[in-house]
Amino acid sequence: MDNAQLLISGLANGCVYGLIALGFVLIYKATEAVNFAQGDFMMLGAFVTIGLTNTEYMGLPFWLALPISLGIMGALGYLVDRLIIRRLFGESQTAVVILTIALGFVIRFAAGLIWGHEPQTLQNPLAGKDIRFGGLVLGMEDVAVIVVTVLLTWGLYVFFSKTKLGLAMQGASQNQLAAYYMGIPVKRVQGFIWALAGVVAGIAGILFAAKGSVDPTTGLLGIKAFAAAVIGGFGSLPGALAGGLIVGVIEPFASRYIAAGYSQIAPYALLLAVLIFRPHGLFSQVRVKKV
Amino acid sequence: MRIVFKTNYMQDLRPWKDGYQLGLYLILLAVAAAAPWWLDDFYLGELTNVLIWAIAGLGLMILTGHTGQASLGHAAFLAVGCYANVVMIEAGVPFLVAFPVAGLLTGIVGATVAIPALRLHGIYLAIFTLALSVLMDDIIVLAEPITGGVAGKYLGGVEIFGHLVDRWATPSQFFWLVLAVAIIVTLGYINLLRSSLGRSFIAVRDSEVSAQAMGVDIARTKTISFALSCAVTGLAGALMGLFAGAFNNETFSVVISIQLLMMIVIGGLGSIHGAFLGAIVIGFLPQFLSISKEYAAALLGGNAVAIPGLEFGIFGMILIAFILFEPMGLYGRWLKIRTWFELFPFYRKDMFKRQKSYLKTERLR
Amino acid sequence: MSLLEYENVTLKFGGLTAVDNLSFDVQEGEVFAIVGPNGAGKSTVFNLISRFYDPYAGSIQFDGHDLLRVKASAVAAFGVARTFQNIELFEHATVLQNLLVGRHRHRRTNLISEILFTPSARRQEIENREKIEEIIDFLDLQAFRDKMISGLPYGVRKVVEVARALATEPKLLLLDEPASGLSVEETTDMRWWIDDIRRQMGITVLMVEHDMGLVSGVSDRVLAMADGAKLALGTPAEVQSHPAVIEAYLGKAS
Ligand SMILES: Nc1ncnc2c1ncn2[C@@H]1O[C@H](COP(=O)(O)OP(=O)(O)OP(=O)(O)O)[C@@H](O)[C@H]1O
Ligand SMILES: [Mg+2]
């Protein structure tokens, strides 16, 4: 019973990691760049929503604030691409890595200026409610996190692998020049993907802030989400979710059953092991580069 | 414009262009070596700090700037060098032995880490090294018997030929020690770049396939690059430990790793100058910010308020500006300015223009 | 004597057979050309020699060595140099540095002597430089010696790539489409250079080329390929009039 409780809370955490990882993967698939600021995007999404809903700030009704903040996050993602990333077309991956890390610094700084450095929680309609299930007590927030994440991942997966538009976008990422010749508006696709990643980060942020508290350094959670994305194999959306769940579940179990001091190492040790033995993730086949 | 007529191959082989340039560098060196006479102790300490960061930057430059392997985990190697040095000194090994051995040990650790890292490219390598840096923190805590864990370690000065060299008691001596190490490392780096190995690093950075076709063994070259890079970083770590005096698991955190990488990007990837210029920015930015905050406060009336994260916020913005507008860093900017003066009034804007290309896929299709 | 021997080599990429049971040999001192429509597997033939891929079956021998038993970097050490279809130069280095990388296989110094830049390292650098200057003179690259590759026009890059390959002092030179994208004048230059490389330097040349004028002008023998397999092998005239070759090209055109 105890283990089941651990499992559920691990899954809920894992979903948040999975959502951030989803953002990484979206952008990686489309632009072959990694957005190291994705975790900070999430933190920002949380704060934007807090700023709109919480009574000490604007105090809008939750269900009104929700679409507004997702819209803001989408616009932000689009602007980041439009104003910054797009200029790096053709530069090395390293340049983008460093740039997005720097962007993370700036976002953290800005969030601290606007909302302060105290941990805050999102006031939301689900707060404090729970579901009892035999002996199990499930927080409504946890349930919401799991449901929303699964639906979102499924939706994105269907979009990218089944719809015409989604497939065209995949094409754009795999070979930009060829896609360009085929009439796919490569740049617009890229902007759309960044906007989408912003929205996903916003959703992750809202769920996270509903479950626990956020402060400007919360975005550093992104490192764990990286582990998730890598474990899942950087190119696959369901893989990202699976990776997130693995990391999320390992954490509570490790801290329960492994000596303190060693337990927090678990996700990173797993990450290193995966990188060493299966550099392209647990769920992918290795292929060679074409010269 | 100064035109150097070349009459023999040594002119291209030696590190300076002509007597004029050599003279400039010698003057710079003399001015630096005389710093204890023209700087007060506070700024001498700051300068020492900048030089230590520059040495660390040179270490990372070998790997990232010249071999093209981005590392987000070099603080881990700073830590290895620092602890190795201190542990040996505590065991009674004289500093002049402990110090190079600490570098050597860090190099060996680096080569060992390189082996699994060889198969990783681009972001995967960045993530791998990032994880390493995160883990290092925990490893130091776990290895408490050696490292002192969370309580950390404390080290006073060291003795060199009976002289006390200590950051607080004898700041000038400590400065000269750091300066000497910086010079030696720089000279070795220059030599590396003008011979075969250094060129094979550049070859691996720019095109692995054609490096291979020219007979460069990629795995070996990357391993050597890792080893050299980590060895130099280890030396910097040892000096950092001496400079800080006290340190624990949090001294060499991931943030330091990231700062180091950003530093060489700002300075200019792929150039020795870049490591020094970047270190100057990193070293003096906090000073600069606190001074300008006081000015702002005086101007606007009121007290200078502490803004947490300001340093990193500004730092992030500088970095974004550099990557967008001057990807070659400060050194690249300097080259342009110099060329502008040399060619005045014939400088053309597209002189340093690089071709923009479509995304070069690094993904394994 | 045959310098390079390709025997029943097959390579598959997933379901696609890029090289299909291909055999041919290149004689010492000749210029051997490979022609074929796009996607015929010509570059793949080169990449197999460079050991970028492991063939599915068959053997590749060079100068008495079994290439399939060594790693990619060892191929150059035997005396094989190459250029790439999509130019793979070291972008952020000067022409001189690029050519000097070509000297890598003649390196006699080690890490320590290079870091100390001992007299032996210095001597080696000067020797390297003398050799490079010969090549620079041969290919008329004097004006570009200290220029960065990233600022060079396409035609010059193609020549620099040939120069870098020559700097290794190879026995066999592989040229992947040396004239593609070049102007008529540049193509003529390339033609004389290939001739001289063979005659003056005594280097065997294996090249892939679409320009039939260049192919029939310089090559002794031609191999025509389609879909990874051999269509015809013989003198340029024989191959051009071979029914299977005509059909493959016309079939592609219609
Ligand atoms: N690394 C790879 N992975 C998958 N398929 C590949 C790879 N390399 C080549 N191919 C495929 O193998 C076939 C032969 O390719 P190759 O590059 O050898 O053709 P080519 O004859 O050089 O054509 P071109 O004249 O266009 O240069 C092509 O269909 C190509 O798509
Ligand atoms: Mg080809």
Side-chain angles (χ1 to χ4, degrees), chain B residues 8 53 78-79 132 136 152 154 160 176 184 230 232 238 244 293 317 364:
Chain B
N8 73 42
W53 273 88
L78 286 174
L132 216 59
M136 194 43 122
Y154 170 82
I160 300 177
W176 283 320
I184 292 169
C230 294
V232 172
K293 245 188 312 195
M317 286 182 233
L364 310 165

Side-chain angles (χ1 to χ4, degrees), chain B residues 216-240:
Chain B
V216 175
D217 184 335
I218 305 284
R220 221 178 128 233
T221 309
K222 281 190 189 168
T223 310
I224 296 176
S225 174
F226 253 100
L228 284 177
S229 165
C230 294
V232 172
T233 310
L235 293 180
L239 292 175
M240 250 176 218

Side-chain angles (χ1 to χ4, degrees), chain A residues 289-290, chain C residues 13 16 18 37-44 53 85 177 210:
Chain A
K289 183 184 169 184
K290 187 169 158 183
Chain C
F13 291 119
L16 177 90
N38 292 110
K42 306 178 298 292
S43 299
T44 308
Y53 313 127
Q85 183 171 355
E177 309 205 0
H210 283 295

Side-chain angles (χ1 to χ4, degrees), chain B residues 12 191 206-207 210 217 354, chain C residues 71 88 92 114-115 129:
Chain B
D12 270 348
N191 285 341
D206 285 0
S207 165
S210 68
D217 184 335
R354 298 194 294 166
Chain C
K71 52 184 174 180
E88 290 273 346
H92 304 292
E114 287 181 358
I115 286 183
R129 185 62 192 273

Side-chain angles (χ1 to χ4, degrees), chain A residues 32 34 87 90-91 93-94 98 101-102 105 109 117 173 176 180 234 264-265 271-272 275-276 279-280 287, chain B residues 70 116 119 123-124 131 135 138 142 262 265 308-310 312 319 354 356-357 359 361-365:
Chain A
E32 220 165 283
V34 173
R87 294 168 184 249
E91 296 281 345
Q93 281 186 343
T94 313
I98 297 170
I101 292 177
F105 281 167
F109 169 60
H117 294 261
S173 78
Q176 287 193 340
Y180 186 73
F234 235 96
Q264 70 262 38
I265 295 183
L271 168 65
L272 288 185
L275 279 175
I276 292 170
H280 299 281
R287 306 204 187 107
Chain B
R119 294 160 63 191
I123 48 144
Y124 286 97
L135 274 181
D138 297 312
L142 291 175
M262 296 191 157
V265 171
L310 173 73
F312 275 103
L319 202 69
R354 298 194 294 166
K356 283 267 171 193
S357 57
L359 183 84
T361 183
E362 290 183 37
R363 183 170 15 219
L364 310 165
R365 286 214 304 135

Side-chain angles (χ1 to χ4, degrees), chain A residues 186-200:
Chain A
V186 177
K187 292 193 170 176
R188 221 183 309 155
V189 167
Q190 191 172 321
F192 173 81
I193 296 279
W194 273 86
L196 192 60
V199 172
V200 172

